[in-house]
Amino acid sequence: MRTQELPSLTPLRGIAAVWVICFHYGVVYFAFHPEQFSDIFNKGYLAVDMFFMLSGFVLSHVYWKTFASEEALQATDYWNFISARIARLYPLHLFNLLLFLFAALAFIAYGYITAGKLEPIPLQGPRSLTALVANVLMLQGLDAGDLAWNYPSWSISVEFLAYFLFPLLLPLIALADKPGRLLFAGMALSCLCLLAYLGHGDFNQWDGPITLLRCLPEFIVGALLYAGFKESSWPDWLRRDVAFAAVTCGILLLLHFGTPDLLVVIAFPAVILAAVMNAGRAASILNAAPLVWLGNISYSLYLTHGFVQFVTTRILASGGIQNPADLPYVTSVGLFVGMVGTTLLMAAFTYRTIELGGRSHLRQLLRLRAGRHDVRLQSHSGLRAGPRGWRP
C-alpha cells in the first residue's frame, strides 16, 4: 500500500523552487536590484534551506514504518532506501550533466568554426573533466567552486550524502523521548549557529564541507517536525487559517526587512507545520492545481534553470556581452521573462520524460539487482527470500 501523500508540501516545494530561480536570475544574474524594494528577493538562496527541511519531513513520513522501530536495521531496507534515492535524483542529474557537456562541446565547435580557436574542456576547475567525474559520482557539493558543471546541483550532492545517515538517525529520533528529541533539536540549532558564525551570518554557503553544517541539521529538523506531527504533538491552533496567515505574514516580514538568515531558517518549521496541518481554506488555496503542478516539477525546475542560465551566458558572450548586469533594464526584464518561460517549458518536459521515466526504470534495475543478491544470500543461509527482502 502506498504511503498517503502529505497535503500542501508539494506546492510549498514549488514555491521554493520559483523563489530560488528568481534569486539566481533576477538578483545575481541581471542585477535588477529588487532588494531596494524588498529583501524577499535577495534572500532567495534560503529556499534551499526549506528544501532540506522538507526532505527530512517527507522522507520521515515515507520511511517511518520501515526505520522507526526497535528492530535492528535490515541491510535490505537500507539498500532499498538508498536505491530509491539514487533513482529519484540520478536520472535527471545525469541528463542535465549531459546537456551541459553537449552544449559546452557545441560552443567549442562554434568557436573553432568562427574564430579558428580551439578551447578544449580543461582538466581541472569548473566544468572540467575532473569536475565531470565528480558529478557522475555525486561528489560535486564537497568542492562546488571547482567541481561545478550545473551549479545548483551542489545541494543534491550534499543531500545525497545525508541520505546515508538518515536510516541510522530516524530510529533514534522516533524512539527518543521528549528530552531526547530536545537534545537532537539543540544539536541541530547549535550546528546552524556555528554555520551562521563561520559564514558571518550568511547562509548562502554552497561550496565545500561547510555545506554539511547547512544540510544535515536542517534534515534532522525536518525529521523532528514529522515525529511531532506523527504523534499529534503540535498545537491544534496550527490547523486554523488564521495561524497559516499569521505564519505566512510573519515569514514575509522577516524576509522583507532582511532579518538575519539564522532567524529566518529557525522560522521555517512554523511555515511547514502551518502548511501541512491546515484544514481550512488556506489548504485549498495552497493546493490549487497550478501550485501542485509547480511542486511536481520543482526538482526539474531547480536543475534545469542552471542550464538555461549557462546557455544564455554563452549566447550573450558570443554577442560581445560579457556581463549580463550591463544590459539595459528593458532588455534584462525581457530576457528574465524568456529565461523563466524556457525553464518552465524544459522542466515540464524533463519531469515527464526524464524524471518520472528514468526513476521508474532505475528503480526496477536496482531492485532487480538487489533481489538477485538477496536470493544468493538466502540460498547460502538455507532461507527463502520473504516479502521484507523484496520490498521496493
Side-chain angles (χ1 to χ4, degrees):
M1 180 168 38
R2 297 184 62 182
T3 304
Q4 184 180 4
E5 185 176 350
L6 294 168
S8 302
L9 295 190
T10 296
L12 199 60
R13 193 168 63 239
I15 293 171
V18 172
W19 188 22
V20 75
I21 290 172
C22 289
F23 167 70
H24 284 150
Y25 286 177
V27 176
V28 176
Y29 195 62
F30 288 123
F32 291 148
H33 300 296
E35 63 272 15
Q36 61 184 316
F37 306 104
S38 174
D39 270 331
I40 291 176
F41 304 98
N42 205 35
K43 295 282 189 178
Y45 55 86
L46 292 178
V48 176
D49 302 274
M50 176 72 78
F51 285 142
F52 289 149
M53 289 187 190
L54 286 172
S55 292
F57 193 100
V58 173
L59 286 178
S60 297
H61 174 66
V62 175
Y63 290 95
W64 189 266
K65 292 182 179 180
T66 303
F67 297 129
S69 68
E70 296 181 357
E71 298 179 8
L73 179 64
Q74 301 291 320
T76 303
D77 289 334
Y78 188 89
W79 166 249
N80 286 337
F81 170 77
I82 296 298
S83 64
R85 295 298 90 205
I86 293 173
R88 175 71 176 90
L89 296 182
Y90 202 77
L92 188 62
H93 165 63
L94 183 60
F95 176 78
N96 276 275
L97 184 61
L98 291 175
L99 280 182
F100 269 88
L101 179 61
F102 292 151
L105 292 174
F107 283 118
I108 289 173
Y110 176 78
Y112 180 73
I113 293 171
T114 57
K117 185 178 181 181
L118 184 64
E119 297 182 356
I121 297 175
L123 180 60
Q124 295 181 327
R127 300 196 177 100
S128 65
L129 296 177
T130 301
L132 187 66
V133 174
N135 276 261
V136 170
L137 298 176
M138 291 288 281
L139 296 175
Q140 66 273 18
L142 296 178
D143 191 10
D146 283 331
L147 298 178
W149 271 82
N150 186 14
Y151 74 93
S153 72
W154 72 266
S155 64
I156 67 168
S157 169
V158 175
E159 185 170 321
F160 185 69
L161 296 177
Y163 292 156
F164 289 94
L165 293 177
F166 178 77
L168 306 176
L169 291 174
L170 187 56
L172 299 178
I173 292 173
L175 299 175
D177 54 12
K178 185 175 180 179
R181 290 180 183 174
L182 287 175
L183 178 61
F184 271 109
M187 293 171 61
L189 179 59
S190 297
C191 289
L192 293 177
C193 288
L194 178 60
L195 173 65
Y197 173 77
L198 295 175
H200 304 288
D202 184 7
F203 266 54
N204 192 19
Q205 305 297 324
W206 54 273
D207 188 12
I210 193 174
T211 55
L212 295 174
L213 281 176
R214 189 177 180 186
C215 175
L216 289 175
E218 292 167 355
F219 216 80
I220 291 173
V221 168
L224 289 169
L225 289 175
Y226 179 76
F229 173 77
K230 173 75 175 178
E231 299 168 3
S232 301
S233 299
W234 305 116
D236 285 340
W237 55 262
L238 283 170
R239 300 180 182 275
R240 301 174 184 172
D241 286 332
V242 65
F244 181 84
V247 169
T248 301
C249 291
I251 198 72
L252 290 176
L253 286 174
L254 290 176
L255 292 167
H256 174 73
F257 290 109
T259 305
D261 291 352
L262 178 62
L263 296 180
V264 175
V265 170
I266 290 175
F268 278 162
V271 177
I272 294 173
L273 289 176
V276 75
M277 291 180 63
N278 184 267
R281 293 183 179 179
S284 300
I285 296 173
L286 195 56
N287 288 279
L291 292 179
V292 172
W293 177 75
L294 276 179
N296 286 333
I297 68 169
S298 59
Y299 180 47
S300 290
L301 277 174
Y302 184 71
L303 284 193
T304 300
H305 87 276
F307 176 72
V308 172
Q309 185 172 333
F310 169 69
V311 172
T312 302
T313 300
R314 296 304 296 263
I315 292 175
L316 290 176
S318 66
I321 302 172
Q322 300 298 327
N323 186 5
D326 294 335
L327 289 169
Y329 183 82
V330 174
T331 304
S332 296
V333 172
L335 275 174
F336 173 82
V337 173
M339 289 171 67
V340 172
T342 302
T343 301
L344 286 169
L345 291 174
M346 286 189 64
F349 172 78
T350 57
Y351 170 70
R352 289 293 182 185
T353 59
I354 306 301
E355 188 176 344
L356 293 183
R359 184 194 315 174
S360 176
H361 290 304
L362 192 52
R363 280 180 71 99
Q364 292 177 5
L365 178 64
L366 294 172
R367 180 171 55 185
L368 179 62
R369 291 183 175 179
R372 289 175 176 173
H373 180 65
D374 290 340
V375 170
R376 290 195 296 270
L377 289 179
Q378 302 286 3
S379 63
H380 285 302
S381 63
L383 300 174
R384 300 179 64 185
R388 188 173 180 83
W390 291 91
R391 185 165 52 202

